[in-house]
Amino acid sequence: MLAEAAKALGEPELEVLREMVRLAQNTRRSMESRRELAAGLCAAMEELWTASPEEDPLAEADEPLDSKEAAEASLWADTRIQANRARLLADCVTASEAGEMTNRSRQAVEKHRRERHLVALRVGREWRYPKWQFDIDGPRGLVPGLEEIVSNLHMSPFGVALWLTTPRSELDEESPIAALRKRKTAQVVRLAEEQGYLP
C-alpha cells in the first residue's frame, strides 16, 4: 500500500520523503524518536493512499499562487523577517559593552566572534552582540555550552540567534538559550542534531 501511495507523489514530494527517511535513519536520534518519525511517515503515506482525488491532502499545496497571493505571501515573509531582526537587535550591545559585561577586552570579544564562539549580528559595518549569551562566570564569559552550539550550527548568524531564542516543545517550551543557562547542554545539542542543524 505504501509503495502504491509513493507512486502518486511527484519529485518534490519524493525529495521531502527521502529527507524524512534520512532523518528517521539518523543514528544520533534516540530510538524512540526514530520510531515516532517512521510511524508518522507511514501514517502520512497511508492517508495519501486512502484519500479520494477530491480529498487529496497535497492538492492545495500543489495549486500555484496567483500574483496577489504571491505578493501577500512575500510581504508577510518580509515583514516577519524584519520583525525578528528588530527583536534580536533590540537586545544587543557593542563589542566594548560586551567586554565590560564580562570583564574582558573588546579585542577578546572580537576574537571570539571571528572564531565563531559567540553570536554576532552585523549591522552595516558594525557587529552587535546579543546580551542573552553572556555569563560572567561562564567559560570565556559565555553561557556554558554556547560555544559548542554556535560554532557548529549550519545557519546564518541571524538564523542562529533566532533558533537559540525560539521556545521549543522538545525543551518543554523553553528556548535553547534558556536551557543552556540551566546547564542542559546535552539536550540542546541533541535537539540541534535531530533538526539537522549540527553535523
Side-chain angles (χ1 to χ4, degrees), residues 52-90:
S52 69
E54 297 81 33
E55 300 171 342
D56 180 1
L58 300 176
E60 188 175 330
D62 289 340
E63 289 291 319
L65 297 176
D66 64 30
S67 58
K68 182 181 177 188
E69 291 172 326
E72 288 174 354
S74 178
L75 180 61
W76 179 86
D78 287 345
T79 302
R80 184 82 183 265
I81 288 168
Q82 293 306 319
N84 282 331
R85 183 179 173 86
R87 176 178 65 81
L88 291 169
L89 289 172

mmCIF file of all heavy atoms in Angstrom, residues 52-90:
data_model
loop_
_atom_site.group_PDB
_atom_site.id
_atom_site.type_symbol
_atom_site.label_atom_id
_atom_site.label_comp_id
_atom_site.label_asym_id
_atom_site.label_seq_id
_atom_site.Cartn_x
_atom_site.Cartn_y
_atom_site.Cartn_z
ATOM 1 N N SER A 52 -9.472 10.246 -1.423
ATOM 2 C CA SER A 52 -10.043 10.280 -2.766
ATOM 3 C C SER A 52 -9.459 11.480 -3.497
ATOM 4 O O SER A 52 -8.907 12.371 -2.864
ATOM 5 C CB SER A 52 -11.565 10.400 -2.675
ATOM 6 O OG SER A 52 -11.903 11.689 -2.187
ATOM 7 N N PRO A 53 -9.555 11.536 -4.829
ATOM 8 C CA PRO A 53 -8.995 12.675 -5.562
ATOM 9 C C PRO A 53 -9.510 14.011 -5.044
ATOM 10 O O PRO A 53 -8.798 14.992 -5.040
ATOM 11 C CB PRO A 53 -9.444 12.427 -7.009
ATOM 12 C CG PRO A 53 -9.661 10.942 -7.087
ATOM 13 C CD PRO A 53 -10.124 10.529 -5.718
ATOM 14 N N GLU A 54 -10.796 14.054 -4.596
ATOM 15 C CA GLU A 54 -11.341 15.303 -4.078
ATOM 16 C C GLU A 54 -10.740 15.663 -2.724
ATOM 17 O O GLU A 54 -10.799 16.800 -2.297
ATOM 18 C CB GLU A 54 -12.870 15.195 -3.926
ATOM 19 C CG GLU A 54 -13.620 14.968 -5.232
ATOM 20 C CD GLU A 54 -13.594 13.506 -5.672
ATOM 21 O OE1 GLU A 54 -13.586 12.608 -4.813
ATOM 22 O OE2 GLU A 54 -13.562 13.278 -6.892
ATOM 23 N N GLU A 55 -10.160 14.660 -2.018
ATOM 24 C CA GLU A 55 -9.611 14.901 -0.686
ATOM 25 C C GLU A 55 -8.088 14.841 -0.681
ATOM 26 O O GLU A 55 -7.477 14.641 0.354
ATOM 27 C CB GLU A 55 -10.138 13.849 0.297
ATOM 28 C CG GLU A 55 -11.640 13.838 0.445
ATOM 29 C CD GLU A 55 -12.108 12.650 1.252
ATOM 30 O OE1 GLU A 55 -11.339 11.681 1.397
ATOM 31 O OE2 GLU A 55 -13.246 12.676 1.738
ATOM 32 N N ASP A 56 -7.481 14.992 -1.832
ATOM 33 C CA ASP A 56 -6.028 14.899 -1.936
ATOM 34 C C ASP A 56 -5.375 15.865 -0.955
ATOM 35 O O ASP A 56 -5.533 17.084 -1.063
ATOM 36 C CB ASP A 56 -5.589 15.232 -3.366
ATOM 37 C CG ASP A 56 -4.073 15.154 -3.549
ATOM 38 O OD1 ASP A 56 -3.363 14.825 -2.578
ATOM 39 O OD2 ASP A 56 -3.614 15.439 -4.662
ATOM 40 N N PRO A 57 -4.643 15.351 0.052
ATOM 41 C CA PRO A 57 -4.041 16.237 1.060
ATOM 42 C C PRO A 57 -2.963 17.147 0.479
ATOM 43 O O PRO A 57 -2.593 18.128 1.105
ATOM 44 C CB PRO A 57 -3.451 15.261 2.084
ATOM 45 C CG PRO A 57 -3.257 13.991 1.338
ATOM 46 C CD PRO A 57 -4.348 13.947 0.314
ATOM 47 N N LEU A 58 -2.463 16.842 -0.704
ATOM 48 C CA LEU A 58 -1.427 17.668 -1.314
ATOM 49 C C LEU A 58 -1.981 18.639 -2.353
ATOM 50 O O LEU A 58 -1.242 19.473 -2.879
ATOM 51 C CB LEU A 58 -0.367 16.780 -1.979
ATOM 52 C CG LEU A 58 0.365 15.806 -1.068
ATOM 53 C CD1 LEU A 58 1.305 14.932 -1.877
ATOM 54 C CD2 LEU A 58 1.125 16.545 0.012
ATOM 55 N N ALA A 59 -3.280 18.537 -2.629
ATOM 56 C CA ALA A 59 -3.850 19.334 -3.715
ATOM 57 C C ALA A 59 -3.669 20.825 -3.485
ATOM 58 O O ALA A 59 -3.260 21.558 -4.376
ATOM 59 C CB ALA A 59 -5.335 19.010 -3.880
ATOM 60 N N GLU A 60 -3.941 21.297 -2.272
ATOM 61 C CA GLU A 60 -3.840 22.731 -2.004
ATOM 62 C C GLU A 60 -2.402 23.213 -2.124
ATOM 63 O O GLU A 60 -2.143 24.292 -2.646
ATOM 64 C CB GLU A 60 -4.387 23.039 -0.611
ATOM 65 C CG GLU A 60 -4.498 24.525 -0.336
ATOM 66 C CD GLU A 60 -5.160 24.814 0.987
ATOM 67 O OE1 GLU A 60 -6.008 24.020 1.425
ATOM 68 O OE2 GLU A 60 -4.821 25.843 1.589
ATOM 69 N N ALA A 61 -1.472 22.392 -1.659
ATOM 70 C CA ALA A 61 -0.063 22.777 -1.750
ATOM 71 C C ALA A 61 0.414 22.800 -3.193
ATOM 72 O O ALA A 61 1.313 23.556 -3.553
ATOM 73 C CB ALA A 61 0.800 21.811 -0.940
ATOM 74 N N ASP A 62 -0.193 21.961 -4.042
ATOM 75 C CA ASP A 62 0.213 21.896 -5.447
ATOM 76 C C ASP A 62 -0.349 23.033 -6.283
ATOM 77 O O ASP A 62 0.129 23.294 -7.378
ATOM 78 C CB ASP A 62 -0.228 20.558 -6.064
ATOM 79 C CG ASP A 62 0.598 19.394 -5.523
ATOM 80 O OD1 ASP A 62 1.693 19.653 -5.013
ATOM 81 O OD2 ASP A 62 0.133 18.249 -5.622
ATOM 82 N N GLU A 63 -1.403 23.687 -5.769
ATOM 83 C CA GLU A 63 -2.021 24.768 -6.525
ATOM 84 C C GLU A 63 -1.069 25.967 -6.581
ATOM 85 O O GLU A 63 -0.587 26.430 -5.550
ATOM 86 C CB GLU A 63 -3.336 25.204 -5.858
ATOM 87 C CG GLU A 63 -4.450 24.201 -5.984
ATOM 88 C CD GLU A 63 -4.943 24.080 -7.416
ATOM 89 O OE1 GLU A 63 -5.074 25.107 -8.096
ATOM 90 O OE2 GLU A 63 -5.172 22.936 -7.848
ATOM 91 N N PRO A 64 -0.801 26.506 -7.777
ATOM 92 C CA PRO A 64 0.075 27.674 -7.858
ATOM 93 C C PRO A 64 -0.616 28.900 -7.282
ATOM 94 O O PRO A 64 -1.840 29.038 -7.356
ATOM 95 C CB PRO A 64 0.320 27.829 -9.362
ATOM 96 C CG PRO A 64 -0.836 27.160 -10.012
ATOM 97 C CD PRO A 64 -1.266 26.055 -9.089
ATOM 98 N N LEU A 65 0.165 29.799 -6.681
ATOM 99 C CA LEU A 65 -0.379 31.040 -6.148
ATOM 100 C C LEU A 65 -0.633 32.008 -7.294
ATOM 101 O O LEU A 65 0.176 32.089 -8.218
ATOM 102 C CB LEU A 65 0.609 31.675 -5.163
ATOM 103 C CG LEU A 65 0.942 30.898 -3.894
ATOM 104 C CD1 LEU A 65 2.008 31.649 -3.100
ATOM 105 C CD2 LEU A 65 -0.285 30.679 -3.038
ATOM 106 N N ASP A 66 -1.724 32.753 -7.200
ATOM 107 C CA ASP A 66 -1.897 33.810 -8.192
ATOM 108 C C ASP A 66 -1.014 34.981 -7.768
ATOM 109 O O ASP A 66 -0.414 34.974 -6.692
ATOM 110 C CB ASP A 66 -3.372 34.204 -8.354
ATOM 111 C CG ASP A 66 -3.975 34.808 -7.090
ATOM 112 O OD1 ASP A 66 -3.243 35.439 -6.295
ATOM 113 O OD2 ASP A 66 -5.198 34.656 -6.893
ATOM 114 N N SER A 67 -0.928 36.015 -8.609
ATOM 115 C CA SER A 67 0.018 37.107 -8.340
ATOM 116 C C SER A 67 -0.297 37.836 -7.039
ATOM 117 O O SER A 67 0.612 38.224 -6.295
ATOM 118 C CB SER A 67 0.035 38.099 -9.509
ATOM 119 O OG SER A 67 -1.271 38.621 -9.726
ATOM 120 N N LYS A 68 -1.582 37.996 -6.708
ATOM 121 C CA LYS A 68 -1.952 38.670 -5.461
ATOM 122 C C LYS A 68 -1.527 37.834 -4.253
ATOM 123 O O LYS A 68 -0.961 38.352 -3.284
ATOM 124 C CB LYS A 68 -3.460 38.927 -5.426
ATOM 125 C CG LYS A 68 -3.895 39.667 -4.177
ATOM 126 C CD LYS A 68 -5.395 39.891 -4.146
ATOM 127 C CE LYS A 68 -5.788 40.565 -2.846
ATOM 128 N NZ LYS A 68 -7.229 40.648 -2.665
ATOM 129 N N GLU A 69 -1.806 36.516 -4.304
ATOM 130 C CA GLU A 69 -1.425 35.636 -3.194
ATOM 131 C C GLU A 69 0.091 35.592 -3.029
ATOM 132 O O GLU A 69 0.605 35.586 -1.914
ATOM 133 C CB GLU A 69 -1.971 34.227 -3.438
ATOM 134 C CG GLU A 69 -3.480 34.121 -3.330
ATOM 135 C CD GLU A 69 -3.986 32.754 -3.762
ATOM 136 O OE1 GLU A 69 -3.394 32.158 -4.682
ATOM 137 O OE2 GLU A 69 -4.973 32.292 -3.166
ATOM 138 N N ALA A 70 0.814 35.551 -4.150
ATOM 139 C CA ALA A 70 2.277 35.529 -4.089
ATOM 140 C C ALA A 70 2.814 36.811 -3.476
ATOM 141 O O ALA A 70 3.735 36.785 -2.652
ATOM 142 C CB ALA A 70 2.857 35.324 -5.488
ATOM 143 N N ALA A 71 2.239 37.953 -3.854
ATOM 144 C CA ALA A 71 2.673 39.231 -3.296
ATOM 145 C C ALA A 71 2.389 39.300 -1.800
ATOM 146 O O ALA A 71 3.228 39.759 -1.014
ATOM 147 C CB ALA A 71 1.981 40.384 -4.018
ATOM 148 N N GLU A 72 1.206 38.800 -1.391
ATOM 149 C CA GLU A 72 0.855 38.805 0.032
ATOM 150 C C GLU A 72 1.786 37.893 0.829
ATOM 151 O O GLU A 72 2.224 38.241 1.929
ATOM 152 C CB GLU A 72 -0.603 38.366 0.216
ATOM 153 C CG GLU A 72 -1.605 39.405 -0.229
ATOM 154 C CD GLU A 72 -3.039 38.893 -0.180
ATOM 155 O OE1 GLU A 72 -3.235 37.679 0.089
ATOM 156 O OE2 GLU A 72 -3.955 39.703 -0.409
ATOM 157 N N ALA A 73 2.080 36.722 0.271
ATOM 158 C CA ALA A 73 2.982 35.788 0.958
ATOM 159 C C ALA A 73 4.371 36.387 1.090
ATOM 160 O O ALA A 73 5.022 36.271 2.134
ATOM 161 C CB ALA A 73 3.043 34.464 0.191
ATOM 162 N N SER A 74 4.841 37.043 0.040
ATOM 163 C CA SER A 74 6.163 37.670 0.075
ATOM 164 C C SER A 74 6.206 38.801 1.090
ATOM 165 O O SER A 74 7.164 38.932 1.859
ATOM 166 C CB SER A 74 6.515 38.188 -1.324
ATOM 167 O OG SER A 74 7.760 38.826 -1.305
ATOM 168 N N LEU A 75 5.160 39.620 1.115
ATOM 169 C CA LEU A 75 5.091 40.732 2.064
ATOM 170 C C LEU A 75 5.048 40.220 3.492
ATOM 171 O O LEU A 75 5.734 40.736 4.380
ATOM 172 C CB LEU A 75 3.856 41.593 1.770
ATOM 173 C CG LEU A 75 3.641 42.797 2.690
ATOM 174 C CD1 LEU A 75 4.820 43.751 2.582
ATOM 175 C CD2 LEU A 75 2.338 43.509 2.340
ATOM 176 N N TRP A 76 4.247 39.166 3.718
ATOM 177 C CA TRP A 76 4.162 38.580 5.059
ATOM 178 C C TRP A 76 5.532 38.062 5.499
ATOM 179 O O TRP A 76 5.960 38.300 6.624
ATOM 180 C CB TRP A 76 3.143 37.442 5.053
ATOM 181 C CG TRP A 76 3.017 36.776 6.398
ATOM 182 C CD1 TRP A 76 2.219 37.155 7.432
ATOM 183 C CD2 TRP A 76 3.738 35.623 6.855
ATOM 184 N NE1 TRP A 76 2.396 36.314 8.500
ATOM 185 C CE2 TRP A 76 3.323 35.367 8.179
ATOM 186 C CE3 TRP A 76 4.692 34.791 6.277
ATOM 187 C CZ2 TRP A 76 3.823 34.304 8.929
ATOM 188 C CZ3 TRP A 76 5.187 33.732 7.034
ATOM 189 C CH2 TRP A 76 4.759 33.500 8.330
ATOM 190 N N ALA A 77 6.234 37.356 4.597
ATOM 191 C CA ALA A 77 7.554 36.814 4.927
ATOM 192 C C ALA A 77 8.546 37.941 5.223
ATOM 193 O O ALA A 77 9.307 37.870 6.204
ATOM 194 C CB ALA A 77 8.066 35.938 3.784
ATOM 195 N N ASP A 78 8.542 38.984 4.396
ATOM 196 C CA ASP A 78 9.459 40.107 4.617
ATOM 197 C C ASP A 78 9.180 40.798 5.943
ATOM 198 O O ASP A 78 10.100 41.157 6.681
ATOM 199 C CB ASP A 78 9.355 41.130 3.475
ATOM 200 C CG ASP A 78 9.999 40.639 2.194
ATOM 201 O OD1 ASP A 78 10.768 39.651 2.247
ATOM 202 O OD2 ASP A 78 9.746 41.240 1.135
ATOM 203 N N THR A 79 7.893 40.977 6.243
ATOM 204 C CA THR A 79 7.507 41.633 7.499
ATOM 205 C C THR A 79 7.952 40.806 8.691
ATOM 206 O O THR A 79 8.482 41.330 9.678
ATOM 207 C CB THR A 79 5.971 41.841 7.542
ATOM 208 O OG1 THR A 79 5.588 42.621 6.408
ATOM 209 C CG2 THR A 79 5.544 42.535 8.808
ATOM 210 N N ARG A 80 7.760 39.490 8.584
ATOM 211 C CA ARG A 80 8.171 38.589 9.678
ATOM 212 C C ARG A 80 9.687 38.631 9.867
ATOM 213 O O ARG A 80 10.172 38.673 10.999
ATOM 214 C CB ARG A 80 7.705 37.179 9.318
ATOM 215 C CG ARG A 80 7.962 36.121 10.364
ATOM 216 C CD ARG A 80 6.867 36.157 11.413
ATOM 217 N NE ARG A 80 7.146 35.193 12.438
ATOM 218 C CZ ARG A 80 6.652 33.959 12.454
ATOM 219 N NH1 ARG A 80 5.866 33.571 11.490
ATOM 220 N NH2 ARG A 80 6.930 33.147 13.438
ATOM 221 N N ILE A 81 10.431 38.625 8.774
ATOM 222 C CA ILE A 81 11.893 38.673 8.859
ATOM 223 C C ILE A 81 12.349 39.966 9.525
ATOM 224 O O ILE A 81 13.201 39.959 10.417
ATOM 225 C CB ILE A 81 12.517 38.530 7.446
ATOM 226 C CG1 ILE A 81 12.348 37.101 6.937
ATOM 227 C CG2 ILE A 81 13.993 38.923 7.456
ATOM 228 C CD1 ILE A 81 12.662 36.931 5.464
ATOM 229 N N GLN A 82 11.774 41.095 9.093
ATOM 230 C CA GLN A 82 12.165 42.386 9.659
ATOM 231 C C GLN A 82 11.795 42.482 11.142
ATOM 232 O O GLN A 82 12.548 43.041 11.942
ATOM 233 C CB GLN A 82 11.521 43.534 8.872
ATOM 234 C CG GLN A 82 12.046 43.670 7.451
ATOM 235 C CD GLN A 82 13.562 43.792 7.394
ATOM 236 O OE1 GLN A 82 14.185 44.472 8.200
ATOM 237 N NE2 GLN A 82 14.170 43.095 6.431
ATOM 238 N N ALA A 83 10.635 41.931 11.523
ATOM 239 C CA ALA A 83 10.225 41.950 12.934
ATOM 240 C C ALA A 83 11.182 41.119 13.778
ATOM 241 O O ALA A 83 11.587 41.533 14.874
ATOM 242 C CB ALA A 83 8.796 41.429 13.072
ATOM 243 N N ASN A 84 11.561 39.934 13.280
ATOM 244 C CA ASN A 84 12.508 39.095 14.018
ATOM 245 C C ASN A 84 13.866 39.773 14.128
ATOM 246 O O ASN A 84 14.514 39.743 15.176
ATOM 247 C CB ASN A 84 12.662 37.732 13.329
ATOM 248 C CG ASN A 84 11.500 36.810 13.615
ATOM 249 O OD1 ASN A 84 10.870 36.893 14.656
ATOM 250 N ND2 ASN A 84 11.200 35.936 12.679
ATOM 251 N N ARG A 85 14.300 40.407 13.044
ATOM 252 C CA ARG A 85 15.586 41.111 13.047
ATOM 253 C C ARG A 85 15.579 42.243 14.079
ATOM 254 O O ARG A 85 16.501 42.388 14.868
ATOM 255 C CB ARG A 85 15.871 41.641 11.647
ATOM 256 C CG ARG A 85 17.200 42.323 11.486
ATOM 257 C CD ARG A 85 17.382 42.798 10.046
ATOM 258 N NE ARG A 85 18.570 43.594 9.900
ATOM 259 C CZ ARG A 85 19.789 43.123 9.673
ATOM 260 N NH1 ARG A 85 19.974 41.825 9.549
ATOM 261 N NH2 ARG A 85 20.825 43.925 9.563
ATOM 262 N N ALA A 86 14.499 43.027 14.073
ATOM 263 C CA ALA A 86 14.391 44.137 15.021
ATOM 264 C C ALA A 86 14.375 43.623 16.461
ATOM 265 O O ALA A 86 15.017 44.205 17.352
ATOM 266 C CB ALA A 86 13.141 44.960 14.731
ATOM 267 N N ARG A 87 13.645 42.533 16.692
ATOM 268 C CA ARG A 87 13.574 41.961 18.050
ATOM 269 C C ARG A 87 14.943 41.507 18.521
ATOM 270 O O ARG A 87 15.346 41.763 19.661
ATOM 271 C CB ARG A 87 12.591 40.788 18.064
ATOM 272 C CG ARG A 87 12.509 40.058 19.401
ATOM 273 C CD ARG A 87 11.493 38.940 19.365
ATOM 274 N NE ARG A 87 11.820 37.872 18.458
ATOM 275 C CZ ARG A 87 12.687 36.876 18.737
ATOM 276 N NH1 ARG A 87 13.330 36.848 19.887
ATOM 277 N NH2 ARG A 87 12.898 35.918 17.855
ATOM 278 N N LEU A 88 15.686 40.829 17.644
ATOM 279 C CA LEU A 88 17.001 40.323 18.024
ATOM 280 C C LEU A 88 17.990 41.464 18.265
ATOM 281 O O LEU A 88 18.791 41.411 19.203
ATOM 282 C CB LEU A 88 17.528 39.379 16.943
ATOM 283 C CG LEU A 88 16.779 38.053 16.808
ATOM 284 C CD1 LEU A 88 17.200 37.324 15.542
ATOM 285 C CD2 LEU A 88 16.997 37.177 18.034
ATOM 286 N N LEU A 89 17.941 42.497 17.435
ATOM 287 C CA LEU A 89 18.887 43.610 17.573
ATOM 288 C C LEU A 89 18.573 44.504 18.769
ATOM 289 O O LEU A 89 19.455 45.204 19.275
ATOM 290 C CB LEU A 89 18.909 44.443 16.292
ATOM 291 C CG LEU A 89 19.571 43.771 15.094
ATOM 292 C CD1 LEU A 89 19.376 44.600 13.834
ATOM 293 C CD2 LEU A 89 21.062 43.535 15.358
ATOM 294 N N ALA A 90 17.322 44.478 19.240
ATOM 295 C CA ALA A 90 16.924 45.343 20.359
ATOM 296 C C ALA A 90 17.644 44.973 21.650
ATOM 297 O O ALA A 90 17.757 45.804 22.553
ATOM 298 C CB ALA A 90 15.417 45.271 20.556
#
